[in-house]
């Protein structure tokens, strides 16, 4: 895996993400399951994945006695750029409903997008169209994906920002596969949702929401693969929220409207 180009990132981040996009560690529960959080979903097996018809996002859910595991494969650069610019939320509802009260923001919304998605890098001539450097683009994306925000979990009154690797907490790992798909793996300690006895046999509502882009106040639509909202990079703002007078783009264009994926999963112990 490629080495990150981390610029203007907190030195603390280097303790967690120093050699690759993914944070590799194994989590097992006896012989029931083994998941390696490394941005590689080969150990999941294809049978566990479902595909959302609208977005083509592939997703899977699993659990053991202590953790809930999710995996998502984001197919295609346009959807990846939308997600990485505007943010994505993951929701967990203990009553099996499509409710957004508990979950995480990751990636968090990037203020100003990523830029440098094409054009004429390296001093090209005006009007010259050059192919984007995908390695450089992914390095820039990854450098802004070191944090997540949690909300609504047990005994949590306010949103909390944490790094994507936290001992005893929610953990995330991600990487791009050989076909350019973005793979994200998640670990949620079940204790964050409440006592195991109260969860046993109950359906859990699980949702992913890719936030919609916005047009400018004048109504003109952003162009190019890297479109964002206001401000800087890396750590970003919350994944939810509207925009300071910005006008929503037409809902018929999937690039600009929010897109949600929901599934139910029954926890058994």
């Amino acid at each position: 895996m490629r080495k990150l180009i981390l610029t203007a990132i907190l030195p603390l981040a280097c303790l967690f993400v120093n050699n690759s996009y993914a944070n590799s560690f194994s989590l097992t529960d006896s012989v029931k399951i083994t998941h390696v959080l490394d941005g590689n979903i080969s150990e999941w097996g294809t049978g566990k994945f479902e595909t959302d018809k609208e977005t083509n996002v592939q997703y899977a859910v699993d659990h053991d006695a202590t953790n809930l595991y999710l995996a998502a494969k984001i197919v295609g650069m346009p959807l990846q750029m939308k997600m990485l610019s505007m943010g994505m939320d993951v929701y967990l509802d203990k009553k099996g409903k499509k409710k957004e009260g508990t979950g995480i923001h990751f990636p968090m919304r990037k203020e100003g997008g990523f830029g440098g998605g094409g054009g004429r890098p390296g001093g090209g001539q005006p009007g010259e169209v050059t192919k984007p450097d995908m390695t450089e683009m992914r390095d820039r994306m990854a450098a802004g994906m070191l944090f997540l925000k949690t909300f609504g979990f047990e005994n949590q009154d306010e949103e909390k920002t944490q790094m994507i690797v936290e001992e005893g907490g929610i953990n995330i790992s991600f990487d791009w596969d050989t076909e350019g798909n973005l793979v994200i793996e998640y670990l949620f300690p079940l204790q964050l949702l409440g006592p195991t006895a109260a969860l046993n046999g109950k359906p859990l509502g699980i949702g992913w929401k890719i936030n919609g882009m916005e047009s400018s106040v004048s109504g003109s639509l952003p162009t190019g693969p890297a479109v964002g909202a206001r401000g800087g990079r890396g750590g970003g703002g919350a994944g939810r929220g509207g925009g300071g007078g910005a006008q929503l783009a037409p809902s018929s264009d999937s690039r600009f409207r929010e897109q949600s994926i929901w599934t139910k999963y029954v926890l058994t112990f």
Side-chain angles (χ1 to χ4, degrees):
M1 285 180 279
R2 301 164 298 277
K3 198 166 185 176
L4 279 176
I5 301 174
L6 295 179
T7 57
I9 299 296
L10 294 174
L12 179 61
C14 296
L15 296 176
F16 295 90
V17 183
N18 55 9
N19 288 319
S20 70
Y21 301 134
N23 308 291
S24 178
F25 51 98
S26 299
L27 299 117
T28 66
D29 178 40
S30 185
V31 296
K32 185 177 180 182
I33 62 170
T34 299
H35 285 304
V36 182
L37 268 70
D38 59 356
N40 184 329
I41 52 177
S42 59
E43 83 276 5
W44 283 76
T46 57
K48 281 190 171 292
F49 281 84
E50 297 185 39
T51 301
D52 177 65
K53 293 181 179 179
E54 180 185 1
T55 62
N56 285 325
V57 170
Q58 299 174 31
Y59 59 92
V61 186
D62 208 345
H63 79 287
D64 58 22
T66 54
N67 299 305
L68 175 73
Y69 306 94
L70 309 181
K73 180 191 288 187
I74 316 301
V75 179
M77 182 56 70
L79 186 61
Q80 292 177 29
M81 294 303 299
K82 173 184 173 181
M83 179 195 72
L84 292 165
S85 295
M86 302 310 295
M88 181 169 72
D89 300 340
V90 176
Y91 304 113
L92 304 175
D93 183 72
K94 293 188 293 183
K95 295 184 178 180
K97 306 295 184 181
K98 296 181 180 181
K99 292 189 177 181
E100 303 179 355
T102 300
I104 64 170
H105 305 304
F106 179 84
M108 294 194 292
R109 180 173 177 162
K110 300 297 183 294
E111 304 297 329
F114 294 95
R120 48 186 183 91
Q125 297 300 316
E128 178 184 356
V129 178
T130 59
K131 187 177 180 179
D133 185 328
M134 299 307 296
T135 299
E136 179 182 355
M137 183 182 295
R138 289 168 184 162
D139 286 339
R140 295 183 64 190
M141 292 178 186
M145 295 170 66
L146 299 178
F147 298 90
L148 62 87
K149 277 191 176 182
T150 66
F151 56 90
F153 288 97
E154 286 284 294
N155 303 316
Q156 181 179 355
D157 297 326
E158 299 179 353
E159 289 189 347
K160 173 190 173 184
T161 301
Q162 64 161 77
M163 297 197 72
I164 60 173
V165 177
E166 183 171 284
E167 185 176 358
I170 296 169
N171 284 271
I172 290 177
S173 188
F174 64 92
D175 202 357
W176 281 264
D177 65 18
T178 56
E179 297 179 346
N181 303 310
L182 175 59
V183 175
I184 306 176
E185 294 185 285
Y186 312 76
L187 176 149
F188 292 88
L190 289 170
Q191 63 181 1
L192 296 179
L193 295 174
T196 301
L199 300 173
N200 189 31
K202 301 295 178 61
L204 184 66
I206 302 172
W208 287 262
K209 182 175 78 175
I210 302 174
N211 296 309
M213 292 184 179
E214 297 170 348
S215 68
S216 65
V217 175
S218 64
S220 60
L221 300 182
T223 60
V227 183
R230 309 157 293 276
R233 249 180 51 210
R240 296 181 295 178
Q247 177 181 337
L248 291 178
S251 60
S252 60
D253 191 328
S254 63
R255 295 175 301 165
F256 299 98
R257 58 182 171 81
E258 68 179 37
Q259 295 171 289
S260 295
I261 303 165
W262 283 92
T263 189
K264 285 187 180 181
Y265 181 79
V266 178
L267 295 163
T268 56
F269 305 99

